[in-house]
Amino acid sequence: MSSSTIRSLSEISEMETIHLSVDLVSAARRNIGFLRSVYECQWLHQRATIIEAIRRYDEVWMPLISNLTVEGSTPPMVLPPLDVEWVWFCHTLNPVGYRKYCETRFSKQIGKPAIFNEENEEYALMRCKQIWVQKFSSEPFENEVESDSKNPPLMNKDLFNEVEKHKFLYSKFAEPYLSELVYLIAARQRYKGFLYMMQRFGDGCFRFVPALDILLMLLTHQ
């Protein structure tokens, strides 16, 4: 390819890039805020807390969201408590494993709702709490395990390892400029160019390591 035909990702035209149905700018902003909340919650990184969060995710949240999910429809506007949402977030960062889990256990894919602002987030959390209390009255909505309690048995080692692997993910996106609107708009355009490149050149792109802004969009778009 000659130097005259080489373009940066941001130079690929809007007409050439892939259309995205998700507001990635707002979603990425929320993701950074979510990762910050997880990072700052020291109790959420205790082994006993993580094990209990995984149990709650597996035994309560996923059956709950599965019952509300209709294939082919928009994901229901519900959001679990922070510990469970963190496990869900980490699980979906392994899309192959997550899809297999959903198909094996629920015979369908379970998507995430598009929640981009505090008002929608508060509504989704309250709605989840109402359903949770009604359907699983014996299960507290918040994770009540004591951080210094004896570790319960680990039922899902693979998922535990996924959560542990991403515990410091926020440190990659902690710089304030990463949440600025101008930066995120440019990142979205470069990400669309990245998807176009992946689609056009196929397997030859899988050795590429995405830049930080593209990585943020990629994690958000999972």
Side-chain angles (χ1 to χ4, degrees):
M1 183 180 293
S2 67
S3 59
S4 62
T5 61
I6 295 176
R7 295 177 292 170
S8 69
L9 293 178
S10 58
E11 291 173 330
I12 297 175
S13 71
E14 189 71 23
M15 292 295 293
E16 293 176 285
T17 56
I18 297 171
H19 173 70
L20 300 174
S21 58
V22 178
D23 180 359
L24 277 183
V25 171
S26 298
R29 260 186 166 174
R30 183 190 181 274
N31 255 1
I32 292 175
F34 169 71
L35 292 174
R36 183 188 304 113
S37 296
V38 170
Y39 180 80
E40 292 174 350
C41 287
Q42 295 301 315
W43 64 272
L44 193 50
H45 302 294
Q46 301 291 333
R47 182 181 175 88
T49 305
I50 297 172
I51 292 175
E52 173 64 4
I54 291 173
R55 185 197 68 79
R56 285 154 47 82
Y57 169 80
D58 194 53
E59 296 182 5
V60 181
W61 169 246
M62 289 305 288
L64 185 155
I65 190 68
S66 174
N67 288 338
L68 297 175
T69 298
V70 178
E71 283 194 283
S73 300
T74 303
M77 188 67 75
V78 288
L79 201 61
L82 182 63
D83 65 312
V84 176
E85 187 182 2
W86 173 231
V87 175
W88 196 20
F89 179 88
C90 293
H91 201 181
T92 56
L93 291 184
N94 178 2
V96 174
Y98 180 72
R99 283 196 297 269
K100 183 178 179 181
Y101 170 87
C102 291
E103 288 292 344
T104 300
R105 187 162 180 206
F106 304 108
S107 300
K108 59 184 173 183
Q109 288 303 305
I110 299 174
K112 290 184 173 182
I115 298 174
F116 304 136
N117 58 59
E118 291 184 4
E119 184 177 346
N120 285 344
E121 185 172 339
E122 183 177 349
Y123 167 80
L125 190 62
M126 290 302 298
R127 184 174 177 225
C128 177
K129 185 174 183 178
Q130 292 172 352
I131 300 171
W132 183 301
V133 170
Q134 181 182 6
K135 299 291 186 181
F136 301 93
S137 57
S138 63
E139 288 279 355
F141 187 65
E142 300 296 340
N143 190 328
E144 296 182 351
V145 70
E146 297 292 338
S147 60
D148 58 351
S149 63
K150 184 178 179 180
N151 289 330
L154 179 58
M155 305 302 293
N156 192 327
K157 185 177 180 180
D158 290 340
L159 191 48
F160 180 85
N161 290 338
E162 284 288 341
V163 175
E164 282 287 283
K165 181 170 66 176
H166 298 298
K167 66 189 299 183
F168 298 118
L169 184 59
Y170 172 66
S171 62
K172 293 180 180 291
F173 309 109
E175 292 294 336
Y177 74 88
L178 291 172
S179 297
E180 292 180 1
L181 186 61
V182 172
Y183 178 87
L184 292 174
I185 290 174
R188 178 184 58 190
Q189 182 60 25
R190 279 168 43 81
Y191 175 64
K192 291 169 71 175
F194 176 77
L195 293 180
Y196 166 80
M197 184 178 67
M198 294 285 288
Q199 185 181 68
R200 182 173 179 182
F201 299 107
D203 293 343
C205 296
F206 284 108
R207 296 179 182 178
F208 294 170
V209 177
L212 186 61
D213 60 332
I214 296 174
L215 177 62
L216 173 60
M217 293 294 160
L218 184 62
L219 294 178
T220 303
H221 199 206
Q222 292 286 1

